[in-house]
Amino acid sequence: MIDTEYADSRSDMNVLAKLRSIFENAAEGIFQVTLDGHILVANPAAARILGYGSPEELIAEVTDIRQLYVDPERRDELIHEVKTKGIVTGFEVQVRRKDGCVIWTSSNIRTLMDESGRIVGFVGMGVDITERRRAEDALRESEMRYRTLFERAGDAILILEAEGENAGKIIDANQAAAEMHGYTVNELLTLKITDLDTPDAAKETPDRIRRSLGGEWIKEEITHRKKDGTVFPVEISGGLIEFGNHKYILSFDRNITERKQAEEAIRSEYAFRKAIEDSTLAGVATVDLDGRQTYVNPAFCRMVGWTEEELLGAMPPFVYWPPDEMEIISDALQKTISGRAPHGGFELCFRRRNEERFDVLVFLSSLKDGQGRTTGWLAAVYDITERKRAEEALENYAIKLEDANRLKDLFTDIMRHDLLNPLGIIKTATEQILVAETRDERMCNTLQMIKRNADKLIDMIKSASMYAMLESAEKLERSKLDLSEIFREIANNFKSQLEEKNMKLEYISKSGCCVMANPMIDAVFSNLLGNAIKYSPPGRKIEVKVIEEKEHFKICVKDWGYGIRDEDKPKIFTRFQRVDKKGVKGTGLGLAIARRVVDLHGGKIWIEDNPEGGSVFYVEIPKA
Ligand code: ADP
């Protein structure tokens, strides 16, 4: 700075020379300006800062100091301030250099007065602070960036005091840290990190701080506690940072509740899958896309006899493939890869460690990753040796059964044709002799006995062959038949027997009871009527009633005979179950035949007691 007042004075010339030298050589620009903005004096530095060749050039070209201002209003602001305060320091303003480029300058300005104290102008000293401003801007920007990062980070960021009695105190925290723990940022700033730790985690905190101070970057999973007491798992990642001479701990905390839950879900899923794979009887084996064996379950190892260690990592052909089956197995694999695996799986032959071959049923399917890409192939393998054996046994049994059936048919045929004929001849001959030879009583009795037995045999053969035929029949041909007519004929057939035992048959029915039936249906009613006669003492009556129901005709055959004990009732419809009726002739097949015939008609047969003594047999036959 130079004051022209002194230049004119007669003071020491050396001082003046010194001042001029300072003025000429100063790094700062020194200038004097009139009230209306005219530059009176400027030093070389001022010219240099503003891009002019010399102070003279500057003074000549800048006729009004306002020309230099990027924002001329700042000049008015400055003048106002200098006038009121007398001096302004560090006035920072953007000015335009001669070449048009804009720079930042910082100046100290003060007023210049005449003797009467009137402001006549200003003197100032300025420096170019463009570089400093640029550095400051860059710093501010980077600070902003970091602040934004700090504030917006998804993870909690905490800065803690690292040393001294306040070690662990929270110095700074971001919004995420506040939200994660249910506090406000300001509340966090009054706490220590141990206030966020659960008691268990807090025990280890001094040790973590100590290790951080030792330079270790800590990464651990611990538990934190929210303001409301909720405990949650966090992954902390932190270490030492130093500002100036002060040590802090920077800690990033991530709430890993969801990750833990996902891990837990995966763990239990894995445990579940493993339990199934370990307990299943099915062998499970997988290969990757190269064909390498990647997994085998215990059942598979048991099945083939090789251990997991021996099987894993192997490449095809696998040890459990019999060499002569390779082609079939490869073909099955090929079919699976091209999506042509049959639903029912492949029946293949595998080999055990002891060389034994065994049949397996293999279901092959592809293994997919999360994106649905095929990562390999899975085989579910069932040892079907036993099943095969059972199938073979069953097949043999069926063959034997067929043979037996053929034999039965043959025998039935023989009975029907080859036995009945000679028996018929015996019977007729006996009858003829009986008619002629009636005088000799003994002979007569013998002949009667022969006839009785021939009758019995004929009955038996007829019943047995009928039963055999019904057993193998699946259905009977049916046509419309009138029950009244059937009964009329049956009653006719039993006429002599009824008379013999002095019994009366009462028939109660309306006419035209039509059913869809096979003519064999008469065997049912003949048998019931025959039994009613056989198992009743002479002189009793028998009642046959036909009742029309919605979908059936119900036929009741009621006798007042010996009746049937409750414990015998379930047995009488099965073949050869004669219930203690010694002396009464019968085959024990009659009711079995009746039931089979009724079944084949889609009807029902059952027995009830006659409350007045005796039995009632019921038969239901669908209406026509
Ligand atoms: P069976 O040829 O012996 O008559 P059934 O199959 O016709 O054979 O009858 C089986 C058994 O049921 C008979 O032996 C008899 O004990 C008993 N039974 C059948 N009907 C009657 C009835 N109406 N009264 C008493 N017992 C009967």
Side-chain angles (χ1 to χ4, degrees):
M1 181 172 60
I2 191 148
D3 197 320
T4 46
E5 269 177 65
Y6 296 114
D8 289 341
S9 75
R10 303 204 173 257
S11 36
D12 191 348
M13 284 305 285
N14 279 340
V15 173
L16 206 59
K18 225 178 210 163
L19 283 173
R20 173 138 300 271
S21 164
I22 292 170
F23 176 75
E24 293 292 336
N25 297 309
E28 296 89 351
I30 302 169
F31 50 89
Q32 183 189 341
V33 185
T34 62
L35 261 182
D36 56 3
H38 193 71
I39 303 171
L40 285 178
V41 181
N43 71 346
R48 196 174 57 246
I49 289 168
L50 293 167
Y52 292 87
S54 64
E56 291 73 26
E57 191 189 334
L58 170 66
I59 292 166
E61 287 193 21
V62 181
T63 50
D64 183 347
I65 192 95
R66 275 193 177 78
Q67 279 171 246
L68 293 173
Y69 281 75
V70 171
D71 176 7
E73 276 179 21
R74 296 289 317 272
R75 160 79 181 168
D76 301 334
E77 197 184 298
L78 171 68
I79 300 296
H80 175 75
E81 219 181 317
V82 182
K83 276 182 176 172
T84 44
K85 291 188 193 159
I87 185 159
V88 169
T89 54
F91 179 73
E92 294 187 3
V93 68
Q94 279 181 299
V95 297
R96 198 174 317 260
R97 278 165 56 103
K98 187 188 174 192
D99 60 8
C101 81
V102 173
I103 58 168
W104 276 98
T105 58
S106 173
S107 306
N108 296 338
I109 317 278
R110 81 171 188 82
T111 49
L112 201 65
M113 292 181 225
D114 62 9
E115 282 119 19
S116 60
R118 208 164 42 91
I119 298 170
V120 292
F122 310 99
V123 284
M125 200 157 73
V127 288
D128 180 349
I129 56 160
T130 311
E131 275 311 310
R132 199 198 78 202
R133 286 290 295 224
R134 204 171 283 155
E136 278 173 5
D137 281 351
L139 192 66
R140 204 171 305 123
E141 204 177 296
S142 110
E143 259 177 13
M144 277 276 288
R145 264 204 305 271
Y146 279 107
R147 196 72 214 171
T148 312
L149 210 69
F150 181 77
E151 293 300 347
R152 302 262 171 89
D155 288 349
I157 304 176
L158 296 159
I159 296 173
L160 315 173
E161 196 74 66
E163 290 178 307
E165 59 183 39
N166 272 335
K169 184 171 175 358
I170 301 170
I171 301 298
D172 204 352
N174 67 353
Q175 192 55 32
E179 281 167 18
M180 190 181 288
H181 295 90
Y183 291 97
T184 63
V185 170
N186 284 336
E187 281 173 330
L188 280 183
L189 300 186
T190 64
L191 301 177
K192 280 186 145 191
I193 191 66
T194 40
D195 297 322
L196 301 182
D197 291 333
T198 55
D200 271 353
K203 273 188 229 151
E204 304 295 324
T205 301
D207 182 56
R208 276 192 289 274
I209 294 179
R210 190 185 51 72
R211 276 153 55 209
S212 298
L213 283 169
E216 188 183 332
W217 188 267
I218 309 279
K219 199 164 176 159
E220 277 175 26
E221 283 181 15
I222 62 167
T223 43
H224 268 188
R225 199 169 37 177
K226 290 189 189 183
K227 190 180 180 181
D228 67 8
T230 318
V231 170
F232 62 100
V234 283
E235 182 191 76
I236 57 164
S237 167
L240 195 65
I241 48 168
E242 286 190 65
F243 288 132
N245 280 331
H246 210 105
K247 289 178 174 162
Y248 299 99
I249 289 169
L250 172 66
S251 175
F252 300 93
D253 296 0
R254 177 171 295 177
N255 183 339
I256 51 169
T257 310
E258 281 179 18
R259 194 178 84 194
K260 284 270 171 198
Q261 281 165 351
E263 279 171 6
E264 188 48 42
I266 290 171
R267 246 197 307 278
S268 49
E269 174 78 29
Y270 174 78
F272 179 68
R273 203 199 72 197
K274 185 143 174 53
I276 287 182
E277 284 165 1
D278 288 355
S279 59
T280 178
L281 290 177
V284 180
T286 64
V287 293
D288 62 16
L289 288 177
D290 297 330
R292 183 175 290 103
Q293 192 89 72
T294 45
Y295 172 80
V296 285
N297 76 339
F300 188 85
C301 295
R302 275 196 302 276
M303 213 179 270
V304 293
W306 276 281
T307 64
E308 186 182 345
E309 294 72 41
E310 287 168 322
L311 294 170
L312 290 190
M315 293 293 284
F318 297 125
V319 277
Y320 49 85
W321 291 0
D324 52 327
E325 294 281 332
M326 296 284 182
E327 221 170 283
I328 300 170
I329 295 174
S330 303
D331 185 55
L333 290 176
Q334 216 44 55
K335 277 202 176 102
T336 307
I337 290 168
S338 57
R340 290 179 293 128
H343 274 307
F346 296 98
E347 279 198 19
L348 302 172
C349 183
F350 277 6
R351 176 170 76 156
R352 297 190 217 275
R353 191 185 199 127
N354 62 6
E355 296 286 316
E356 186 192 334
R357 295 158 68 101
F358 65 109
D359 293 310
V360 284
L361 181 62
V362 182
F363 293 90
L364 290 167
S365 54
S366 57
L367 283 172
K368 308 261 190 214
D369 66 7
Q371 270 86 49
R373 287 177 303 225
T374 301
T375 56
W377 306 94
L378 178 139
V381 184
Y382 297 85
D383 185 340
I384 52 165
T385 324
E386 280 309 313
R387 200 190 81 185
K388 281 253 168 185
R389 230 171 256 162
E391 272 173 10
E392 265 166 40
L394 209 64
E395 223 165 90
N396 289 338
Y397 183 67
I399 292 169
K400 274 191 195 140
L401 215 62
E402 241 168 64
D403 286 347
N405 237 353
R406 260 196 298 278
L407 210 65
K408 184 199 86 178
D409 288 347
L410 179 73
F411 193 64
T412 318
D413 243 33
I414 293 174
M415 279 205 307
R416 242 199 325 258
H417 302 113
D418 304 332
L419 293 185
L420 271 186
N421 283 346
L423 266 173
I425 295 167
I426 294 172
K427 187 186 162 187
T428 320
T430 319
E431 278 166 353
Q432 281 167 359
I433 303 169
L434 261 175
V435 175
E437 302 274 339
T438 44
R439 276 155 299 162
D440 183 341
E441 202 182 329
R442 265 187 59 213
M443 179 71 89
C444 215
N445 284 343
T446 311
L447 287 169
Q448 289 285 8
M449 189 194 70
I450 295 173
K451 181 182 166 319
R452 252 197 336 267
N453 279 293
D455 276 342
K456 200 170 166 181
L457 269 174
I458 290 169
D459 258 10
M460 223 156 190
I461 290 168
K462 278 186 180 162
S463 298
S465 58
M466 188 173 194
Y467 188 77
M469 187 275 287
L470 285 169
E471 275 262 275
S472 47
E474 268 162 27
K475 63 177 192 204
L476 295 176
E477 244 176 58
R478 289 191 274 164
S479 56
K480 205 166 163 183
L481 296 180
D482 188 345
L483 283 174
S484 329
E485 274 175 24
I486 296 174
F487 274 109
R488 192 176 315 126
E489 212 177 306
I490 294 173
N492 217 20
N493 293 345
F494 281 96
K495 216 170 163 183
S496 60
Q497 281 187 48
L498 285 163
E499 275 167 10
E500 226 170 81
K501 283 189 84 171
N502 188 26
M503 292 177 81
K504 246 182 81 185
L505 171 67
E506 205 171 304
Y507 179 68
I508 308 165
S509 166
K510 55 173 193 135
S511 60
C513 305
C514 288
V515 289
M516 283 303 284
N518 183 281
M520 278 175 82
I521 197 84
D522 77 341
V524 177
F525 303 120
S526 297
N527 184 263
L528 294 183
L529 204 55
N531 281 348
I533 298 169
K534 274 196 289 183
Y535 303 114
S536 295
R540 300 284 163 86
K541 77 165 178 179
I542 296 165
E543 183 187 282
V544 175
K545 198 150 101 189
V546 182
I547 304 162
E548 180 168 5
E549 292 189 332
K550 212 167 148 217
E551 287 167 5
H552 306 95
F553 279 110
K554 187 157 95 178
I555 302 103
C556 324
V557 179
K558 190 175 187 179
D559 65 49
W560 279 260
Y562 308 121
I564 298 174
R565 288 180 305 187
D566 282 346
E567 62 263 38
D568 294 331
K569 283 178 185 140
K571 297 190 257 175
I572 57 170
F573 292 101
T574 42
R575 68 180 179 166
F576 298 119
Q577 286 292 338
R578 298 208 68 212
V579 183
D580 198 24
K581 286 286 175 320
K582 294 178 189 88
V584 183
K585 92 174 181 184
T587 58
L589 268 175
L591 286 177
I593 290 173
R595 185 162 79 174
R596 183 76 189 134
V597 173
V598 172
D599 283 352
L600 287 168
H601 279 80
K604 264 175 31 185
I605 181 165
W606 72 99
I607 181 192
E608 283 177 20
D609 287 332
N610 179 354
E612 296 165 21
S615 320
V616 193
F617 279 85
Y618 291 93
V619 178
E620 258 178 20
I621 302 289
K623 280 183 176 175

